[in-house]
Amino acid sequence: MTRLVSRTRQTSAPGEAAPEPVPVPEERVLRAWLAREADRGAAPVDPESVPTDRTAMLDALLAAKPGAAAFVWRERPVRWYRLDLDWDRFAALRPVNGPDDALWRAASTDGTLFGVAERAREEGFAPLREAGIDPAAIRAYRDDLAAGRRLDPLVVRTRRGATPWFVADGNHRATAVALHALETGRYDPQTAYVAVTANPVLGPALARVRGLLQRLRGRTIGHGGVRR
């Protein structure tokens, strides 16, 4: 557990190493994610019979969370890791892009999920309720943390390189962890399954470079004709 100094700085034990990500198979993440959706009644499967075939799991997950889970098939290849999030990384988590993103951003002080917890801490849960967020779920998760219980891992996605990290599953859990940290001054690193996808910026950049080289070749050939 980490004692917080401020939102972006924290102390750690002498010689404490940064947490290392551990590779995990995609099937494990999809199964855990789908089981949570089934428990909430959002997935079109029986909670007692979550499919084990990757294709079936992904189809069911896309039916339950078409916006948040779309990256799993749209941005392949996806590399998955299990990681205990340090405070800096956790405090910067953002809600995943999609229809629900606007709800969480509307309730946040700065666009992060930590900002949602700040809003709840300063103004109560009314602004969250007005934004369409379920305060009861956040309070229940916060009570679990106060009782010493660990929450299920978040599902987080990012792209290779220095890009923001987005919560694809677990906005309420992440907000509860942040609120608990604000109320107690301590943060117990939250576990997450982190999906790392390719950066699509590289493709267009390479295409522009190839186009520029082709134009330069064309100009060289044209100039050569004039000189002859």
Side-chain angles (χ1 to χ4, degrees), residues 193-219:
Y193 291 122
V194 181
V196 181
T197 66
N199 194 331
V201 173
L202 296 178
L206 292 175
R208 287 194 295 271
V209 170
R210 284 195 294 267
L212 176 60
L213 292 175
Q214 289 171 354
R215 289 195 296 273
L216 290 175
R217 289 195 201 99
R219 291 175 184 174

Side-chain angles (χ1 to χ4, degrees), residues 57-70:
M57 284 192 293
L58 184 53
D59 287 346
L61 191 56
L62 289 173
K65 300 287 287 286

Side-chain angles (χ1 to χ4, degrees), residues 25-211:
E26 183 170 78
E27 286 77 6
R28 180 190 301 178
V29 180
L30 297 183
R31 187 178 301 110
W33 190 353
L34 185 57
R36 283 191 297 273
E37 296 301 324
D39 287 341
R40 289 195 290 261
V45 296
D46 185 338
E48 301 300 324
S49 59
V50 174
T52 57
D53 175 76
R54 179 191 173 278
T55 300
M57 284 192 293
L58 184 53
D59 287 346
L61 191 56
L62 289 173
K65 300 287 287 286
F71 75 92
V72 179
W73 62 267
R74 188 179 59 218
E75 299 184 19
R76 306 204 64 82
V78 182
R79 295 182 179 179
W80 289 95
Y81 302 88
R82 184 181 174 98
L83 176 66
D84 290 337
L85 301 173
D86 63 26
W87 175 248
D88 289 347
R89 181 65 72 186
F90 173 80
L93 290 176
R94 297 177 177 273
V96 72
N97 293 329
D100 290 343
D101 178 36
L103 305 179
W104 292 90
R105 283 189 292 108
S108 177
T109 58
D110 63 355
T112 69
L113 291 168
F114 186 92
V116 178
E118 283 184 323
R119 188 83 179 274
R121 175 72 167 166
E122 295 168 1
E123 304 177 34
F125 285 98
L128 279 62
R129 189 179 299 106
E130 292 169 1
I133 297 169
D134 183 4
I138 296 173
R139 284 195 292 262
Y141 288 132
R142 181 193 58 184
D143 291 345
D144 285 341
L145 291 167
R149 291 187 286 271
R150 296 277 295 177
L151 302 185
D152 288 342
L154 308 174
V155 177
V156 177
R157 56 164 299 195
T158 187
R159 294 192 175 102
R160 287 201 298 269
T163 61
W165 287 29
F166 298 92
V167 175
D169 176 62
N171 286 342
H172 290 87
R173 298 196 298 281
T175 302
V177 172
L179 185 58
H180 180 69
L182 285 170
E183 292 174 341
T184 64
R186 299 185 71 87
Y187 168 66
D188 192 2
Q190 171 64 36
T191 301
Y193 291 122
V194 181
V196 181
T197 66
N199 194 331
V201 173
L202 296 178
L206 292 175
R208 287 194 295 271
V209 170
R210 284 195 294 267

Side-chain angles (χ1 to χ4, degrees), residues 3-5 8 31 38 67 76 129 185 189:
R3 181 175 295 280
L4 307 182
V5 176
T8 57
R31 187 178 301 110
R76 306 204 64 82
R129 189 179 299 106

